């Protein structure tokens, strides 16, 4: 495809397309036998494993008559060493070394025991293994038992001392793989090895904490000549909320307000309630405080109210430079109702890309309906992300997030085409969820300091409902990021995905269920509340995962959770506007077609429409079954053009390619804005905040229209199959049922008494909300 003249910088669309691949998944041994079945979604990688267990009877080499031994494992140009022990002739190491077969350029592996010395390390003895004689180990076989080997000198003669070793050929499915020292990471210092290994992380269990502030009694304000203006400030960690000033001015104020927080297990922070009096515009006086440990708070699973409780308020004063409780004769009290809500799902992801919709309380979880398996194979054509020793390089790793489980692959050092070939599994509780895979550059290998940030290379989202069950999808996904200079392809990542369904009936039944737990519909939270709570949840998750060892860093967690998805930008607003136009275009096309009918452009078609119109007027009972039959036929007709690939980032849909430089400058501007004049900053931030809400609403309208389109598009094969089957059944039933009876029943149903209405959404509405939209492809 030629670029249009005058636009030399415009990227070609095929650079951003999804490519189907055909990798050799599972791997085949030399004799044609499959090496493993547990890693069947990745290419098998061969490794030579050397487990150094311990040594005994090592001779003394120092003049002091002691030995400071360590082991060196050498294979060609690659050399790994164990830690050394001070003055120990029977040391235990229990370390594993892994050498990739692709990089081996030797015929033997040499395991040498040496004595650590200030000047030159002394040679104690060695053991040699011919690579052709080393056995293969295939999981789930038990690990190879280590054996004692007598040490030899350089001439091959036996010397004093023995070394316990196990040497075998294996794959990345081996249990020793995650913790092994890898030859391709030989340049990484030992203190950085932990940050390059593959790890699994779990999101902390999140709860909504509901604090209902009812009233306070017997407050003691300092100035008794005025009516106090009392409010309650509640603090949980770095979350702070306050009630309005009590309308009942006096020492017994009342509020009856709900405050909502996000709390994470284990509960480390206490809830601090502070009753304060606004004595002046910028001056507040603390009338008392109550500290409530969350471990003492009741957990509830449904909407049944929990009991209220009175808490004493303690007065704190400064005595001799330190805070102490002031002894008072009659204690002030505060009356509250407090509980941890187990019936809600705590949203920590963008609602469009949720990977988990279960309530907090495990007792309310339903049975899983399938398994998601993800093979992270490799990346191709990655761009250099940093400069090291005067040359450009990239140290790439992948992070995948689904449900509460995060996985991180090992970091492949200094490669623009890294091969991970790691496979991970998740339980699936709802097919209308999204798995997110991000690729990052590791900037913490050589003690770059705590200020270094791992660079984002790009990410991929895959909605499970768009995948056919039990099919392996192997595609190369473009890694696209938006920079202040414009959209850029950073490379491609190759994935293998399989969604296995354990019960098709259970999964079909889910399409009639509410997307979120019941409590979200019985006692809904406001959009503003949910936004604030989601922001707090993301902060808690990023802080907890950042404290893991090795840490999953804040910038990684926030990028995976789309922390800035609700920020306004001109580009996103334009993209959402054109999405709406795309949804409305078929209606406009129908209008043009009908206008052509009226204009007799095609006389034969117009005559047929007249005949159809006369038949439907004379026999009105045929209208509904004809419509459903027509929809059924369209759905079956479109089946041949159903999407064959999962959705991916679409630069054209996101208007990333056509964004004006000034729009990108505005999108990447800081929030609050960096523009100097204070008035401009205030107005500009207010505009962006309001426009962000408008953008979300516009996007939601587009989402509803796209869900309507997806009824017959086979984007979600199960949903379309349900709808097409319903259309067929409805057509048959309506053909044999008198039209007047159907209309009468429908009218009575619509006009039914409120007693017969449920607060939960209806089955058709639940089904509609589960349909996929093009939000998955938004950049």
């Amino acid at each position: 495809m030629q670029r249009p003249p005058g636009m030399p910088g415009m990227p070609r669309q095929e650079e951003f397309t999804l490519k189907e691949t055909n990798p050799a998944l599972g791997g085949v041994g030399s004799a044609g036998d499959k090496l493993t079945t547990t890693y069947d979604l990745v290419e098998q990688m061969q490794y030579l494993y050397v487990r150094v267990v311990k040594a005994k009877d090592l001779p003394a080499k120092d003049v002091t008559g002691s030995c400071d031994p360590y082991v060196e494992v050498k294979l060609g140009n690659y050399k790994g060493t164990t830690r050394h022990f001070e003055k120990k002739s029977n040391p235990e190491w229990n370390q594993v070394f892994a050498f990739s077969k692709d990089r081996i350029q030797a015929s033997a592996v040499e395991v040498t025991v040496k004595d650590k010395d200030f000047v030159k390390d002394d040679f104690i003895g060695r053991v040699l293994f011919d690579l052709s004689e080393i056995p293969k180990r295939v999981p789930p076989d038990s690990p190879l038992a280590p054996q004692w080997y007598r040490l030899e000198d350089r001439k091959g003669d036996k010397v004093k001392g023995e070394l316990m070793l196990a040497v075998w050929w294996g794959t990345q499915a081996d249990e020793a793989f995650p913790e092994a020292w890898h030859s391709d990471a030989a340049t990484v210092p030992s203190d950085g090895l932990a940050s390059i290994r593959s790890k699994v992380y779990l999101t902390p269990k999140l709860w909504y904490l509901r604090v209902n502030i009812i009233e306070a009694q017997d407050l003691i304000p300092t100035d008794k000549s005025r009516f106090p203006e009392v409010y309650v400030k509640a603090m949980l960690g770095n979350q702070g909320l306050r009630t309005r000033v009590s309308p009942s001015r006096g020492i017994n104020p009342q509020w009856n307000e709900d405050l909502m927080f996000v709390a994470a297990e284990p509960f480390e922070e206490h809830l601090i309630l502070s009753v304060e009096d606004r004595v002046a515009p910028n001056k507040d006086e603390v009338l008392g405080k109550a500290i409530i440990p969350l471990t003492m708070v009741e957990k509830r699973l449904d909407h049944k109210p929990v009991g209220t409780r009175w808490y004493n308020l303690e007065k704190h004063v400064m005595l001799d430079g330190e805070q102490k409780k002031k002894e008072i004769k009659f204690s002030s009290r505060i009356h509250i109702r407090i509980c941890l809500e187990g019936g809600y799902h705590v949203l920590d992801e963008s609602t469009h890309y949720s990977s988990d919709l279960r309530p907090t309380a495990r007792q309310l979880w339903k049975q899983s309906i399938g398994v998601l398996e993800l093979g992270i194979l490799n990346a191709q054509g990655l761009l250099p992300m940093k400069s090291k020793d005067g040359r450009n390089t990239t140290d790439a790793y992948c992070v995948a997030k689904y449900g509460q489980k995060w996985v991180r692959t090992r970091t492949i050092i200094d490669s623009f085409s890294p091969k991970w070939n790691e496979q991970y599994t998740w339980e699936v509780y709802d097919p209308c969820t999204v798995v997110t895979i991000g690729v990052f550059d590791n900037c913490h290998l050589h003690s770059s300091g705590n200020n270094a940030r791992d660079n984002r290379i790009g990410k991929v989202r895959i909605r499970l409902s768009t995948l056919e069950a039990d099919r392996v999808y192997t595609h190369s996904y473009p890694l696209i990021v938006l920079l202040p200079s414009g959209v850029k392809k950073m490379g491609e990542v190759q994935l293998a995905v399989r969604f296995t369904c354990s019960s098709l009936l259970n999964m079909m039944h889910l399409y009639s269920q509410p997307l979120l737990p019941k409590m979200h519909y019985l006692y809904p939270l406001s959009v503003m509340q949910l936004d604030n709570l989601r922001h707090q949840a993301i902060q808690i998750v990023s802080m907890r995962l950042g404290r893991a060892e090795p840490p999953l860093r804040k910038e990684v967690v926030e990028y995976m959770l789309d922390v800035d998805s609700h920020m306004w930008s001109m580009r996103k607003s334009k993209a959402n506007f054109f999405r709406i136009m795309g949804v409305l275009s078929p209606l406009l096309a129908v209008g043009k077609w009908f206008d052509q009918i009226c204009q007799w452009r095609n006389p034969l078609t117009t005559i047929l429409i007249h005949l159809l119109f006369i038949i439907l007027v004379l026999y009105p009972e045929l209208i509904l079954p004809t419509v459903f039959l027509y929809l059924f036929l369209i759905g079956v007709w479109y089946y041949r053009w159903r999407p064959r690939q999962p959705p991916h980032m679409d630069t054209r849909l996101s208007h990333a390619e056509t964004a004006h430089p000034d729009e990108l400058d505005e999108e990447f501007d800081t929030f609050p804005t960096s523009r100097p004049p204070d008035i401009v900053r205030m107005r500009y931030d207010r505009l962006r905040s309001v426009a962000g809400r408008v953008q979300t609403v516009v996007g939601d309208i587009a989402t509803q229209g796209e869900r309507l389109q997806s009824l017959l598009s086979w984007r979600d094969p199960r949903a379309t199959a349900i709808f097409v089957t319903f259309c067929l059944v409805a057509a048959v039933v309506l053909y044999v049922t008198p039209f007047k009876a159907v209309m009468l029943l429908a009218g009575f149903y619509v006009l039914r008494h409120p007693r017969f209405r449920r607060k939960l959404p209806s089955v058709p509405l639940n089904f509609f909300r589960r349909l996929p939209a093009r939000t998955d492809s938004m950049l």
Side-chain angles (χ1 to χ4, degrees):
M1 184 173 82
Q2 295 293 323
R3 291 182 183 174
M7 298 187 69
M10 182 180 172
R12 293 176 300 173
Q13 182 61 26
E14 65 258 26
E15 289 180 358
F16 301 114
T17 55
L18 200 64
K19 299 171 188 169
E20 192 156 2
T21 58
N22 190 24
L25 301 184
V28 177
S30 56
D33 57 322
K34 206 169 185 185
L35 284 172
T36 177
T37 55
T38 54
Y39 270 44
D40 61 340
L41 286 186
V42 291
E43 297 179 2
Q44 293 301 326
M45 300 170 70
Q46 296 292 310
Y47 287 89
L48 175 68
Y49 289 99
V50 180
R51 182 185 292 279
V52 180
V53 184
K54 56 186 175 180
K56 67 179 180 180
D57 302 332
L58 296 180
K61 288 288 182 180
D62 293 348
V63 291
T64 58
S66 64
C67 176
D68 305 329
Y70 71 92
V71 175
E72 178 184 276
V73 182
K74 188 177 181 184
L75 183 61
N77 297 326
Y78 295 102
K79 181 171 66 176
T81 57
T82 67
R83 61 192 180 279
H84 81 280
F85 288 97
E86 298 281 345
K87 300 180 180 179
K88 202 167 186 181
S89 58
N90 297 308
E92 289 191 25
W93 295 283
N94 203 22
Q95 284 183 247
V96 181
F97 299 84
F99 298 87
S100 174
K101 189 176 183 180
D102 295 342
R103 304 190 180 190
I104 291 177
Q105 297 176 341
S107 58
V109 59
E110 181 180 347
V111 185
T112 308
V113 183
K114 292 187 176 182
D115 177 35
K116 192 81 173 171
D117 207 345
F118 288 113
V119 183
K120 185 183 179 184
D121 297 343
D122 296 319
F123 174 88
I124 296 176
R126 69 178 182 180
V127 182
L128 284 174
F129 294 92
D130 191 320
L131 297 189
S132 61
E133 300 295 327
I134 293 172
K136 286 185 179 177
R137 184 197 163 224
V138 183
D141 290 353
S142 297
L144 197 67
Q147 299 179 39
W148 286 106
Y149 292 91
R150 186 79 179 270
L151 295 178
E152 300 175 350
D153 61 15
R154 289 191 173 94
K155 297 177 183 176
D157 298 329
K158 301 293 182 186
V159 295
K160 185 182 178 185
E162 291 183 69
L163 186 61
M164 182 178 274
L165 297 170
V167 184
W168 72 96
W169 288 107
T171 67
Q172 74 269 41
D174 203 290
E175 294 90 342
F177 180 81
E179 297 301 325
W181 174 93
H182 285 272
S183 56
D184 57 4
T187 59
V188 178
S190 57
D191 59 347
L193 283 176
S195 68
I196 68 167
R197 290 179 174 146
S198 52
K199 292 289 176 186
V200 174
Y201 304 83
L202 291 176
T203 300
K205 191 173 185 181
L206 300 176
W207 296 77
Y208 283 145
L209 176 70
R210 187 187 294 270
V211 185
N212 178 224
I213 312 286
I214 302 171
E215 60 182 332
Q217 276 185 359
D218 302 330
L219 299 180
I220 308 175
T222 306
D223 184 3
K224 298 187 177 163
S225 63
R226 53 178 281 278
F227 288 113
E229 297 181 23
V230 185
Y231 65 91
V232 178
K233 185 164 73 176
M235 293 290 296
L236 181 66
N238 61 356
Q239 304 173 66
L241 293 173
R242 66 200 321 173
T243 66
R244 69 190 188 284
V245 173
S246 172
S248 53
R249 305 288 177 89
I251 61 170
N252 298 314
Q254 295 180 337
W255 296 277
N256 200 25
E257 272 191 57
D258 270 0
L259 305 178
M260 295 285 285
F261 298 89
V262 178
E265 288 187 5
F267 302 121
E268 297 174 350
E269 293 100 1
H270 296 328
L271 176 69
I272 302 172
L273 298 177
S274 174
V275 181
E276 302 188 10
D277 178 16
R278 183 166 295 156
V279 294
N282 291 316
K283 187 180 178 186
D284 299 318
E285 180 192 8
V286 178
L287 302 181
K289 283 188 178 183
I291 299 175
I292 305 169
L294 295 192
T295 50
M296 309 296 291
V297 174
E298 184 178 341
K299 298 175 181 176
R300 74 171 182 179
L301 307 182
D302 50 26
H303 58 278
K304 292 176 184 173
V306 297
T308 62
R309 188 172 166 186
W310 288 93
Y311 288 89
N312 289 334
L313 292 172
E314 305 289 351
K315 190 79 178 260
H316 291 259
V317 294
M318 295 297 290
L319 295 174
D320 301 327
E322 59 182 49
Q323 243 188 25
K324 292 185 179 177
K325 293 178 187 176
K326 182 182 179 183
E327 296 296 330
I328 50 178
K329 194 169 184 181
F330 298 102
S331 177
S332 305
R333 300 191 302 168
I334 188 168
H335 191 199
I336 64 171
R337 178 185 284 113
I338 180 171
C339 66
L340 288 160
E341 297 278 15
Y344 288 92
H345 168 70
V346 180
L347 294 163
D348 61 339
E349 303 166 289
S350 172
T351 49
H352 294 304
Y353 314 124
S354 290
S355 64
D356 188 12
L357 301 164
R358 292 171 291 171
T360 298
R362 187 177 284 271
Q363 301 95 306
L364 301 177
W365 290 4
K366 293 177 181 169
Q367 197 174 0
S368 66
I369 52 99
V371 172
L372 168 67
E373 296 168 280
L374 174 68
I376 302 173
L377 304 178
N378 57 58
Q380 298 289 334
L382 296 185
L383 299 183
M385 300 301 295
K386 59 177 177 276
S387 181
K388 186 168 63 180
D389 300 329
R391 61 188 181 83
N392 294 328
T393 183
T394 297
D395 304 319
Y397 67 92
C398 281
V399 174
K401 198 261 182 198
Y402 183 78
Q404 296 177 341
K405 178 177 166 184
W406 300 66
V407 298
R408 189 180 80 172
T409 67
R410 69 193 190 285
T411 300
I412 304 298
I413 309 298
D414 193 14
S415 174
F416 300 129
S417 301
K419 289 186 179 180
W420 294 287
N421 283 307
E422 296 182 27
Q423 185 170 337
Y424 298 96
T425 304
W426 289 267
E427 280 191 319
V428 176
Y429 291 86
D430 195 311
C432 302
T433 45
V434 176
V435 59
T436 305
I437 303 101
V439 185
F440 301 88
D441 173 49
N442 196 328
C443 294
H444 294 83
L445 301 181
H446 297 273
S447 303
S448 305
N450 293 329
N451 294 329
R453 292 169 59 87
D454 287 355
N455 298 317
R456 54 181 74 169
I457 299 177
K459 72 181 164 192
V460 174
R461 301 188 200 102
I462 303 172
R463 185 173 291 271
L464 269 57
S465 64
T466 61
L467 306 177
E468 294 177 13
D470 301 316
R471 174 182 164 188
V472 178
Y473 288 83
T474 54
H475 290 91
S476 186
Y477 292 80
L479 294 169
I480 305 166
V481 294
L482 193 66
L483 303 171
S485 57
V487 67
K488 192 169 187 178
K489 181 180 175 183
M490 310 297 286
E492 296 179 358
V493 62
Q494 189 173 339
L495 305 173
V497 186
R498 177 170 55 209
F499 171 40
T500 308
C501 169
S502 55
S503 169
L504 187 61
L505 201 61
N506 284 349
M507 184 157 60
M508 294 297 193
H509 174 65
L510 267 178
Y511 278 89
S512 68
Q513 299 301 302
L515 203 60
L516 289 166
K518 272 203 281 204
M519 287 289 286
H520 285 270
Y521 305 103
L522 298 177
Y523 294 92
L525 304 174
S526 69
V527 174
M528 186 74 78
Q529 250 185 325
L530 284 172
D531 271 0
N532 293 333
L533 291 170
R534 175 178 174 260
H535 176 73
Q536 295 299 337
I538 290 175
Q539 298 306 312
I540 290 172
V541 170
S542 63
M543 183 187 71
R544 289 286 180 94
L545 295 181
R547 281 163 41 187
E549 188 54 47
L552 198 60
R553 302 190 180 274
K554 186 172 187 264
E555 62 270 20
V556 174
V557 174
E558 290 186 347
Y559 182 56
M560 295 290 288
L561 293 179
D562 290 287
V563 68
D564 56 354
S565 64
H566 297 298
M567 291 294 288
W568 177 81
S569 80
M570 182 67 77
R571 177 189 62 83
K572 288 181 186 175
S573 297
K574 281 201 303 186
N576 284 333
F577 173 75
F578 284 107
R579 284 171 62 201
I580 290 179
M581 294 304 295
V583 170
L584 296 177
S585 60
L587 297 177
L588 299 175
V590 169
K592 288 181 181 177
W593 172 80
F594 189 71
D595 184 60
Q596 289 179 350
I597 296 295
C598 296
Q599 297 292 333
W600 287 74
R601 297 281 173 85
N602 189 334
L604 182 62
T605 307
T606 305
I607 291 168
L608 289 173
I609 292 297
H610 275 77
L611 290 173
L612 180 63
F613 174 70
I614 292 168
I615 291 169
L616 292 179
V617 168
L618 293 177
Y619 303 99
E621 64 269 17
L622 297 180
I623 294 174
L624 277 179
T626 303
V627 169
F628 280 112
L629 187 61
Y630 180 63
L631 291 174
F632 167 75
L633 293 173
I634 290 178
V636 172
W637 180 255
Y638 280 167
Y639 179 74
R640 65 165 81 175
W641 293 292
R642 68 193 184 280
R644 303 283 182 171
Q645 299 176 335
H648 67 289
M649 304 292 185
D650 192 332
T651 56
R652 186 169 289 176
L653 177 70
S654 308
H655 280 254
E657 296 180 58
T658 57
H660 192 274
D662 184 59
E663 293 173 3
L664 291 174
D665 176 66
E666 186 179 34
E667 184 169 343
F668 283 90
D669 187 17
T670 55
F671 189 84
T673 176
S674 56
R675 303 295 183 269
D678 290 341
I679 296 175
V680 174
R681 177 183 295 133
M682 184 270 293
R683 290 177 178 173
Y684 185 51
D685 289 346
R686 184 174 60 191
L687 174 65
R688 292 180 76 184
S689 177
V690 172
R693 303 284 173 201
V694 174
Q695 165 193 303
T696 303
V697 171
V698 171
D700 286 342
I701 294 171
T703 297
Q704 307 314 318
E706 287 166 356
R707 282 174 176 161
L708 203 60
Q709 283 183 326
S710 69
L711 276 172
L712 297 170
S713 70
W714 294 94
R715 179 166 289 279
D716 180 347
R718 285 165 289 274
T720 304
I722 291 172
F723 181 71
V724 167
T725 306
F726 169 77
C727 290
L728 179 61
V729 172
V732 172
V733 169
L734 291 170
Y735 269 123
V736 299
T737 309
F739 182 72
K740 292 177 182 178
V742 172
M743 292 304 295
L744 203 63
L745 288 173
F748 281 143
Y749 179 77
V750 171
L751 299 171
R752 69 193 185 280
H753 192 273
R755 182 181 294 174
F756 301 108
R757 298 176 187 271
R758 291 198 315 158
K759 282 191 176 182
L760 292 179
S762 63
V763 169
L765 193 58
N766 292 331
F767 178 83
F768 183 77
R769 284 175 176 167
R770 289 174 168 277
L771 293 169
R774 302 195 71 191
T775 48
D776 307 330
S777 305
M778 287 289 291
L779 189 63

